[in-house]
């Protein structure tokens, strides 16, 4: 499947974009998600790489590299990229109907988390200061976002939940794919063993 550190490279891109946001006035407004997104559809993609402030960037990049590297090792680099971009774009599409503007990789990261929940539900991670299985952490994060829908804040709860939903769907697909792959490898191994046994014992 290959491991190409795509999670880390995506984080580097986000950092470089944040530098551009800081240096060039008006840069963010050209690429964030807002009412212009349907006439300028690239914003559904570019908004993923923008961040509101340094704390927003650091928190998201830590989660991206941590969970992204885990998922990339499990399903391969290309499939990881599909999860990241599919979840991020769908999350942005959902967000544009609820927020006047939005930006950040959170939707894509929640897509990664959703996929991990299905592919490796018992993977132990640290969340809320405690070690817990991935699926428990996912439930707690989802509950927090559902509650957040009713509490005014700058957090894109809709983006989080939308990304998580896409991640869960892709996770179900990749879990079945992984199981079929393991079964195929075992079957191929058994066939090879049988041929060796036949050559050694039946063809004398």
């Amino acid at each position: 499947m290959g491991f190409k550190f795509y999670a880390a490279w995506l984080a580097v891109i986000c950092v470089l974009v944040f530098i551009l946001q800081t240096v060039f006035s008006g840069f963010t407004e050209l690429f964030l998600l807002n009412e212009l997104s349907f006439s300028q559809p690239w914003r559904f993609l570019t908004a993923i790489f923008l961040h509101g402030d340094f704390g927003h960037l650091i928190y998201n990049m830590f989660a991206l590299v941590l969970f992204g590297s885990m998922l990339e090792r499990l399903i391969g680099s290309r499939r990881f990229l599909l999860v990241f971009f599919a979840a991020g774009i769908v999350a942005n599409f959902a967000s544009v109907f609820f927020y006047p503007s939005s930006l950040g990789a959170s939707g894509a990261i929640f897509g990664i988390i959703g996929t991990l929940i299905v592919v490796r539900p018992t993977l132990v991670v640290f969340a809320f200061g405690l070690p817990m299985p991935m699926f428990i952490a996912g439930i707690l994060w989802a509950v927090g976002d559902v509650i957040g829908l009713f509490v005014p804040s700058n957090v894109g709860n809709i983006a989080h939940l939308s990304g998580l939903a896409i991640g869960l769907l892709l996770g179900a697909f990749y879990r079945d794919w992984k199981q079929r792959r393991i079964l195929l490898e075992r079957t191929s191994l058994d066939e090879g063993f049988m041929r060796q046994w036949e050559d050694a014992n039946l063809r004398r």
Side-chain angles (χ1 to χ4, degrees), residues 35-50:
E35 71 280 356
L36 298 175
S37 298
F38 288 106
S39 59
Q40 300 175 358
W42 64 80
R43 292 174 181 265
F44 290 105
L45 174 63
T46 56
I48 296 171
F49 297 96
L50 301 171

Side-chain angles (χ1 to χ4, degrees), residues 125-132:
V125 297
F126 275 87
F128 307 99
L130 297 170
M132 63 183 69

Side-chain angles (χ1 to χ4, degrees), residues 136-151:
I136 296 295
I139 290 171
L140 294 177
W141 281 320
V143 169
D145 276 309
V146 170
I147 295 172
L149 294 175
F150 304 97
V151 180

Side-chain angles (χ1 to χ4, degrees), residues 102-182:
S102 63
L103 74 178
S106 300
I109 293 167
F110 269 80
I112 292 169
I113 290 171
T115 305
L116 273 174
I117 288 170
V118 180
V119 174
R120 285 289 301 275
T122 58
L123 177 70
V124 177
V125 297
F126 275 87
F128 307 99
L130 297 170
M132 63 183 69
M134 190 72 205
F135 79 96
I136 296 295
I139 290 171
L140 294 177
W141 281 320
V143 169
D145 276 309
V146 170
I147 295 172
L149 294 175
F150 304 97
V151 180
S153 70
N154 291 325
V155 178
N157 303 110
I158 293 292
H160 294 179
L161 293 169
S162 301
L164 184 67
I166 295 300
L168 292 172
L169 290 173
L170 289 173
F173 175 80
Y174 286 138
R175 181 189 59 190
D176 292 341
W177 163 82
K178 197 171 184 64
Q179 289 173 346
R180 289 194 300 268
R181 179 187 173 118
I182 292 171

